[in-house]
Amino acid sequence: MASRLILITIFISISYVDCVQTVNGRVKIFIGLTSGCPNARNFITSQLVPAYAEYGKFLDLEFVPWGKTERHENGTVTCQFGDNDCWANRLQRCVLNHLRGNTDAQLQYMACEYRQPYPAYQLGSFQCAREAGMGIAAADFCVNNPQMDTLDEEAEAKSTDPIEIIGVVPSIVFNDNIDVSTHWQAFRRLASVVCFALADDSSTGVLGCQI
Ligand SMILES: *[C@@H]1O[C@H](CO)[C@@H](O)[C@H](O)[C@H]1NC(C)=O
């Protein structure tokens, strides 16, 4: 019985090691999401925030608020959860761009938007943007002038393959390798997936991962 348990544990460990590995001691996580999505809220608050608290110094995060947005021939876009979803996604692209290079601040900002009362999506509010240090005038200008930058086109391009292959929001991708089973493991237990990847690289000093 005991040996069978050990074998099962080893098997599960190996399958984890197979799925994500470090690149130069780090793990890059792409998170494709959309503002109105309940699963994205749960993932950010219950999985990403705690995993980042534990392993953030090894992580490079990239948030892409575009989700299943569709662009029509007449140039308009429609979002999975309607106009509020589009507005909040656009604001998030603006603020994330404002905070580029500062992963701690980007995560703090996204955690603000994806927890109650969901300021941008639910209230049409700049509250989280302001807390992130982006002035309201600058945020408002960015939201209303998408033709002045390429944030929408970049988000659309980055989201196309993850949405097509993974099919759901949030879409979680490690080190640019789009993989459906790794996505689902990360969706359910991100800290564990990250821990096994880091533990497999002795330079990180990370040990003692739990499933
Ligand atoms: C643009 O096209 C979409 C999809 O065909 C349509 O629903 C929408 O009303 C159109 N918008 C305008 C401004 O023409």
Side-chain angles (χ1 to χ4, degrees), residues 168-189:
V168 296
V169 179
S171 317
I172 306 151
V173 178
F174 294 91
N175 300 325
D176 303 318
N177 299 318
I178 304 172
D179 181 80
V180 175
S181 89
T182 311
H183 156 85
W184 285 112
Q185 298 218 26
F187 181 70
R188 297 194 181 100
R189 36 176 181 258

Side-chain angles (χ1 to χ4, degrees), residues 7-205:
L7 276 180
I8 291 169
T9 307
I10 290 171
F11 175 76
I12 293 171
S13 305
I14 288 171
S15 59
Y16 266 106
V17 166
D18 279 350
C19 65
V20 180
Q21 296 193 314
T22 56
V23 177
N24 299 321
R26 304 187 63 77
V27 175
K28 180 183 167 192
I29 311 177
F30 165 101
I31 304 128
L33 68 182
T34 199
S35 306
C37 176
N39 284 342
R41 294 170 182 165
N42 290 341
F43 178 73
I44 294 211
T45 54
S46 310
Q47 300 287 335
L48 188 59
V49 168
Y52 193 83
E54 207 165 343
Y55 304 113
K57 65 176 176 175
F58 302 109
L59 301 179
D60 297 311
L61 305 183
E62 182 175 34
F63 295 99
V64 182
W66 183 263
K68 295 183 173 182
T69 298
E70 287 180 53
R71 187 183 291 276
H72 305 291
E73 280 177 18
N74 60 23
T76 63
V77 296
T78 49
C79 300
Q80 196 179 354
F81 298 90
D83 291 347
N84 291 2
D85 199 29
C86 281
W87 188 86
N89 285 349
R90 173 68 194 172
L91 174 62
Q92 287 163 25
R93 290 192 288 278
C94 290
V95 180
L96 289 166
N97 182 51
H98 180 75
L99 300 173
R100 64 189 177 277
N102 187 343
T103 305
D104 289 0
Q106 288 184 333
L107 176 59
Q108 206 178 340
Y109 167 68
M110 293 299 269
C112 176
E113 294 287 21
Y114 284 78
R115 71 173 168 248
Q116 285 185 336
Y118 316 113
Y121 172 71
Q122 204 74 268
L123 307 175
S125 157
F126 290 107
Q127 182 194 324
C128 299
R130 203 176 56 225
E131 284 172 19
M134 186 170 187
I136 290 180
D140 186 61
F141 182 85
C142 179
V143 167
N144 290 305
N145 292 281
Q147 74 284 359
M148 302 279 283
D149 58 59
T150 56
L151 298 176
D152 291 6
E153 290 77 6
E154 288 166 32
E156 183 175 17
K158 285 175 179 169
S159 301
T160 300
D161 287 350
I163 286 293
E164 190 172 313
I165 294 166
I166 295 171
V168 296
V169 179
S171 317
I172 306 151
V173 178
F174 294 91
N175 300 325
D176 303 318
N177 299 318
I178 304 172
D179 181 80
V180 175
S181 89
T182 311
H183 156 85
W184 285 112
Q185 298 218 26
F187 181 70
R188 297 194 181 100
R189 36 176 181 258
L190 178 66
S192 174
V193 171
V194 168
C195 184
F196 278 102
L198 296 173
D200 194 42
D201 175 344
S202 61
S203 78
T204 66

